[in-house]
Amino acid sequence: MDLTSFITSFTTSFVIFIVLVLLFTWLSRKPGNSVVYYPNPISRGLDPFENRKRSMNPVGWIREAFVASEADVIAASGVDAAVYLVFLSTVLGILVFSGVLLLPALLPVAGTDDALKLANQNSKTAGNYSELEKLAMGNVQAKNTRLWAFMLGVYWVSIVTYYILWRSYKHVSNLRATAKSSPEPKPEDFAILVRDVPSRPSDQSLKDRVDSYFRRLHPDTFYRSMVVTNLKKVNKIYNNIEGYKKKLAHAEAVFAESKTTGNPEGARPTMRTGLLGLVGSKVDTINHCNEKIKELILKLEAEQKITLQDKQERAALVFFNNRAAAASAAQTIHAQMVDTWMVSEAPEPRAVIWPNLSMRLYMRQIRQAIVYTLVFLTVVFYMIPIAFISAFTTLDNLEKLAPFLKKVVEQPEIKTVLEAYLPQIVLIVFLALLPAFLMFLSKSEGIPSESHAVRAAAGKYFYFIVFNVFLGVTISGTLWSSLKRIINHPGDLITLLATSLPGNATFFLTFVALKFFVGYGLELSRLVPLIIFHLKKKFLCKTEEEIKEAWAPGDLGFATRVPSDMLIVTIVLCYSVIAPLIIPFGAIYFGLGWLVAKNQVLRVYVPSYESNGRMWPHMHTRILAALIIYQITMVGFMIIKKFVYAPFLFLLIPISFVYAAITKNRFYKSFAATPLEVAARELKEVPNMEAIYAAYIPPCLKTEKLEDVELFEDAQSHATSRTTSF
C-alpha cells in the first residue's frame, strides 16, 4: 500500500469517527433514546441524567469516563468489567512506555539508512516501496551496526511488558480477593458443585445418598444438597407457558388499543394455530392463550414432580453454612477414585449450564478431545479462505488470480479504494462469522458455567485469529509459492514470517486504524441498536415487557471482544520494533478503547453473570504468548539481516517462559480456587441460607407450589429423614 492509500484510509476513518461521535452526542441527549444509551443505570433503577447536564459537548463523555472510579465501574457492571478495563490500560501502558524510547530512537535510525533504495536500484525497478517503509527496520542494511538499536528495542519492550503485567496481575488479584471476601453473602460462595456421583443403592434416593455422604464428611458445616435433574422436558413446557403469557399480554394490549370512541368494544385479535401463526384454523388470541396456559400449567406441575423424583442425575449442588467451609470443601479430594465425587466451586446461579452438570468424566474427556480436533481443523483449513481474502491486499496477486480485472484495478481511483478499504472490511466481516460456532463447541465440552464457556471460546478464537489472521495475512502474499515449502519444512515458517512481516506493515497500520476509528465509533454511537429498537418499538412492541426486551443491551461479549483485542496486541507487539510507527496507532486503539469501554460499562452493558475477574489469567497468558511470538519473529528477522549478535535474542524466549511459570505459581492458584483467608472474612450479617439455596432452583421448577424450599427439597427425596438448619 502506498502512502496515498494509507492517508486516504486513515483520514476517512477519522472523519467517520468524528461524525459518529457527533451523532452519539446528539442522539444520546434525546429523552426517547435514553434506554439505548443509558440502559445500565435504568436497569438499576437510576435516573441516567441525575446530577448531569444534557449538554451538546461532544467530548463530555470523555471527562465523565475519566472522573468515574474503579469502584463506580464495579458497582455498575461488576468486577469482570473492571478487569477488562485493567487489561486495556495494561496494554496501553506497555505501548506508551515502549514508544517513549522506541519512537525517537528507532525512527531516525531506520529513516536515515538506504537499504530499500539500494535494493530498488539493484532490481532495476521503480516505485516498489513506499515512504512508510523507509521508517521501518526493512530500510536498514544487513550486517549494519544500526541493528543494535533494534535488538535493544526488543529487550526494552520485553522488560516493560514483564513489569507492567506483574503490577496488573497483583492489582487484579486484589480486586478478586476483595470481591470474594465481600461482606454481602453471595450464593456461589456457600455452594460446591459435585459431579460423577456414584450410582445409588436401590433402597436410597440419590439425594439421600449425597446428603449422607457429605453430612458424614462435613458434620458441622453441611447444610443441604440439591440434586441436578434432567430439565429438558419441564423446561420446554415452562418456555411454552412463558411464550403464551407474552402473546396474551401482547394481544390484550392490542385489544385495549383498538377501543376507540367510534368502536368502544374494540376488535379482538386473532391468530392461526399452525406453523409460525401462518397456517391452521383462526382462533381468538386471548381465549386461545388463556386456554393453553391453563392446560400447560397442569402439565408443568405433573412434569415437575416426575422431574424432581424420577429424573435425578448423578450430579448435585452441596451447600454449607459458611464460606470458608465451602471453599475448603471445593479444594478437597473427597474420594479415593478420581472418577467419583469430583468437586469444584459452584458457578454463579445465572451462569449455570444445567444440561452439562450431569455429564460424566469420561464423556467430558471424549467430547473435549473431539472439540479440540475440530478446533484444530478449523484453524488449519480456515487458512485457505483467509489467504484468498488477503490476496486482495496485493493487487498484483488479484491480477494474477483474475487477469480480466487488470484494466479495472489499474484505474487510480479504484486502486486507491481497493487498497484502502476492501481487504480490512472483508477480513473483519469474515471473522464475525466464527464466534457462535466456537461458543457451541465450548459448551459441547461439558463445561458447567457460561463464564467458563466464554473463556474457552475466547481461547479458541485467539488461536484462530493469531494463526489465520496474523500469520495468514503475513505470509499469504507469498503463500501461493511457499505452501509446499511450509508443508515440507515447517521450521521454515519462522524465516518465512520474518521475511514477509515488513511488507505487510502498512496493511496492519490501516487495519488497526479502521478497527479503532470505525469500530469504536459504531460502538459509541450505537446506531444499529438504536435503529433496531425504534423499529421494534413502532411495529412490534405493545407491552412494557416487550419494550424492555427490545432495548436490553446484553453484556460486553468477552468471547469475541477479548480475542479481537488480543489480535491487535499481537500485531502491535510484533511490529513495535520492525515498524515503530505502529505503536502510536496501537496506543490510540487501547487508549480510545479504554475510554469507550468505560463509558459503555457505566452506561450501556448489563452483565449477565459475574466471575470476579476469572478471565484475567487467560488475558495475561495470551499477552505473554503474543510477546513470545514477537520475540521468535525478531530472532528470525535478525538472522535474515545477518546480524552476528542475533543469538543474544534467543535468551529472551526462555526468560519469557520462566516469567510465565513464576507468575502462574505466584498468582494463579488464588484464581483457580478461593483462598481460605479470603473466604473466612466476616460477613455483615448472618446469611439467609434458604434464600441462597433457592437461588439455584431452576426457573422451570420455581412455580407457586414449589416456591417453598422445604417442599422443593422434599420433592427430591423419598426419605423421611431431613437435615436440620443451623
Side-chain angles (χ1 to χ4, degrees), residues 565-576:
D565 292 336
M566 287 296 179
L567 172 62
I568 305 301
V569 173
T570 306
I571 290 170
V572 177
L573 280 181
C574 286
Y575 279 98
S576 60

PDB file of all heavy atoms in Angstrom, residues 565-576:
ATOM      1  N   ASP A 565      -9.152  -7.910  20.683  1.00  0.00           N
ATOM      2  CA  ASP A 565      -8.130  -7.035  21.256  1.00  0.00           C
ATOM      3  C   ASP A 565      -6.773  -7.725  21.287  1.00  0.00           C
ATOM      4  O   ASP A 565      -5.728  -7.089  21.071  1.00  0.00           O
ATOM      5  CB  ASP A 565      -8.530  -6.618  22.673  1.00  0.00           C
ATOM      6  CG  ASP A 565      -9.754  -5.709  22.691  1.00  0.00           C
ATOM      7  OD1 ASP A 565     -10.010  -5.052  21.658  1.00  0.00           O
ATOM      8  OD2 ASP A 565     -10.441  -5.662  23.723  1.00  0.00           O
ATOM      9  N   MET A 566      -6.778  -9.036  21.565  1.00  0.00           N
ATOM     10  CA  MET A 566      -5.529  -9.780  21.603  1.00  0.00           C
ATOM     11  C   MET A 566      -4.857  -9.828  20.225  1.00  0.00           C
ATOM     12  O   MET A 566      -3.628  -9.860  20.127  1.00  0.00           O
ATOM     13  CB  MET A 566      -5.783 -11.211  22.097  1.00  0.00           C
ATOM     14  CG  MET A 566      -6.072 -11.304  23.573  1.00  0.00           C
ATOM     15  SD  MET A 566      -4.669 -10.789  24.590  1.00  0.00           S
ATOM     16  CE  MET A 566      -5.379 -11.016  26.218  1.00  0.00           C
ATOM     17  N   LEU A 567      -5.661  -9.846  19.175  1.00  0.00           N
ATOM     18  CA  LEU A 567      -5.092  -9.790  17.831  1.00  0.00           C
ATOM     19  C   LEU A 567      -4.319  -8.488  17.644  1.00  0.00           C
ATOM     20  O   LEU A 567      -3.201  -8.486  17.110  1.00  0.00           O
ATOM     21  CB  LEU A 567      -6.200  -9.902  16.787  1.00  0.00           C
ATOM     22  CG  LEU A 567      -5.785  -9.665  15.328  1.00  0.00           C
ATOM     23  CD1 LEU A 567      -4.769 -10.704  14.885  1.00  0.00           C
ATOM     24  CD2 LEU A 567      -6.998  -9.670  14.411  1.00  0.00           C
ATOM     25  N   ILE A 568      -4.893  -7.380  18.108  1.00  0.00           N
ATOM     26  CA  ILE A 568      -4.212  -6.095  17.991  1.00  0.00           C
ATOM     27  C   ILE A 568      -2.948  -6.085  18.849  1.00  0.00           C
ATOM     28  O   ILE A 568      -1.917  -5.544  18.442  1.00  0.00           O
ATOM     29  CB  ILE A 568      -5.154  -4.944  18.397  1.00  0.00           C
ATOM     30  CG1 ILE A 568      -6.448  -4.999  17.581  1.00  0.00           C
ATOM     31  CG2 ILE A 568      -4.471  -3.600  18.217  1.00  0.00           C
ATOM     32  CD1 ILE A 568      -6.255  -4.902  16.088  1.00  0.00           C
ATOM     33  N   VAL A 569      -3.012  -6.695  20.046  1.00  0.00           N
ATOM     34  CA  VAL A 569      -1.813  -6.806  20.888  1.00  0.00           C
ATOM     35  C   VAL A 569      -0.708  -7.529  20.129  1.00  0.00           C
ATOM     36  O   VAL A 569       0.453  -7.083  20.100  1.00  0.00           O
ATOM     37  CB  VAL A 569      -2.130  -7.559  22.200  1.00  0.00           C
ATOM     38  CG1 VAL A 569      -0.851  -7.819  22.990  1.00  0.00           C
ATOM     39  CG2 VAL A 569      -3.116  -6.778  23.047  1.00  0.00           C
ATOM     40  N   THR A 570      -1.057  -8.664  19.520  1.00  0.00           N
ATOM     41  CA  THR A 570      -0.061  -9.458  18.784  1.00  0.00           C
ATOM     42  C   THR A 570       0.517  -8.662  17.621  1.00  0.00           C
ATOM     43  O   THR A 570       1.741  -8.642  17.413  1.00  0.00           O
ATOM     44  CB  THR A 570      -0.711 -10.753  18.262  1.00  0.00           C
ATOM     45  OG1 THR A 570      -1.319 -11.450  19.351  1.00  0.00           O
ATOM     46  CG2 THR A 570       0.326 -11.651  17.606  1.00  0.00           C
ATOM     47  N   ILE A 571      -0.348  -8.004  16.864  1.00  0.00           N
ATOM     48  CA  ILE A 571       0.114  -7.228  15.709  1.00  0.00           C
ATOM     49  C   ILE A 571       1.055  -6.114  16.148  1.00  0.00           C
ATOM     50  O   ILE A 571       2.158  -5.950  15.610  1.00  0.00           O
ATOM     51  CB  ILE A 571      -1.094  -6.645  14.947  1.00  0.00           C
ATOM     52  CG1 ILE A 571      -1.877  -7.761  14.248  1.00  0.00           C
ATOM     53  CG2 ILE A 571      -0.642  -5.602  13.919  1.00  0.00           C
ATOM     54  CD1 ILE A 571      -3.206  -7.304  13.668  1.00  0.00           C
ATOM     55  N   VAL A 572       0.623  -5.332  17.151  1.00  0.00           N
ATOM     56  CA  VAL A 572       1.401  -4.162  17.552  1.00  0.00           C
ATOM     57  C   VAL A 572       2.722  -4.575  18.188  1.00  0.00           C
ATOM     58  O   VAL A 572       3.770  -3.962  17.919  1.00  0.00           O
ATOM     59  CB  VAL A 572       0.580  -3.272  18.503  1.00  0.00           C
ATOM     60  CG1 VAL A 572       1.412  -2.090  18.986  1.00  0.00           C
ATOM     61  CG2 VAL A 572      -0.672  -2.761  17.801  1.00  0.00           C
ATOM     62  N   LEU A 573       2.708  -5.606  19.015  1.00  0.00           N
ATOM     63  CA  LEU A 573       3.969  -6.062  19.604  1.00  0.00           C
ATOM     64  C   LEU A 573       4.936  -6.547  18.529  1.00  0.00           C
ATOM     65  O   LEU A 573       6.121  -6.208  18.551  1.00  0.00           O
ATOM     66  CB  LEU A 573       3.708  -7.174  20.621  1.00  0.00           C
ATOM     67  CG  LEU A 573       3.227  -6.744  22.009  1.00  0.00           C
ATOM     68  CD1 LEU A 573       3.034  -7.967  22.903  1.00  0.00           C
ATOM     69  CD2 LEU A 573       4.209  -5.784  22.663  1.00  0.00           C
ATOM     70  N   CYS A 574       4.439  -7.342  17.593  1.00  0.00           N
ATOM     71  CA  CYS A 574       5.324  -7.906  16.570  1.00  0.00           C
ATOM     72  C   CYS A 574       5.895  -6.844  15.640  1.00  0.00           C
ATOM     73  O   CYS A 574       6.978  -7.014  15.086  1.00  0.00           O
ATOM     74  CB  CYS A 574       4.584  -8.975  15.761  1.00  0.00           C
ATOM     75  SG  CYS A 574       4.335 -10.520  16.669  1.00  0.00           S
ATOM     76  N   TYR A 575       5.175  -5.735  15.476  1.00  0.00           N
ATOM     77  CA  TYR A 575       5.666  -4.663  14.611  1.00  0.00           C
ATOM     78  C   TYR A 575       6.298  -3.514  15.389  1.00  0.00           C
ATOM     79  O   TYR A 575       6.752  -2.539  14.787  1.00  0.00           O
ATOM     80  CB  TYR A 575       4.517  -4.120  13.755  1.00  0.00           C
ATOM     81  CG  TYR A 575       4.223  -4.953  12.543  1.00  0.00           C
ATOM     82  CD1 TYR A 575       3.193  -5.885  12.558  1.00  0.00           C
ATOM     83  CD2 TYR A 575       4.980  -4.834  11.382  1.00  0.00           C
ATOM     84  CE1 TYR A 575       2.913  -6.663  11.449  1.00  0.00           C
ATOM     85  CE2 TYR A 575       4.713  -5.610  10.270  1.00  0.00           C
ATOM     86  CZ  TYR A 575       3.672  -6.526  10.310  1.00  0.00           C
ATOM     87  OH  TYR A 575       3.421  -7.310   9.205  1.00  0.00           O
ATOM     88  N   SER A 576       6.312  -3.603  16.730  1.00  0.00           N
ATOM     89  CA  SER A 576       6.768  -2.478  17.545  1.00  0.00           C
ATOM     90  C   SER A 576       8.201  -2.072  17.240  1.00  0.00           C
ATOM     91  O   SER A 576       8.551  -0.889  17.318  1.00  0.00           O
ATOM     92  CB  SER A 576       6.629  -2.818  19.035  1.00  0.00           C
ATOM     93  OG  SER A 576       7.413  -3.951  19.364  1.00  0.00           O
TER      94      SER A 576
END
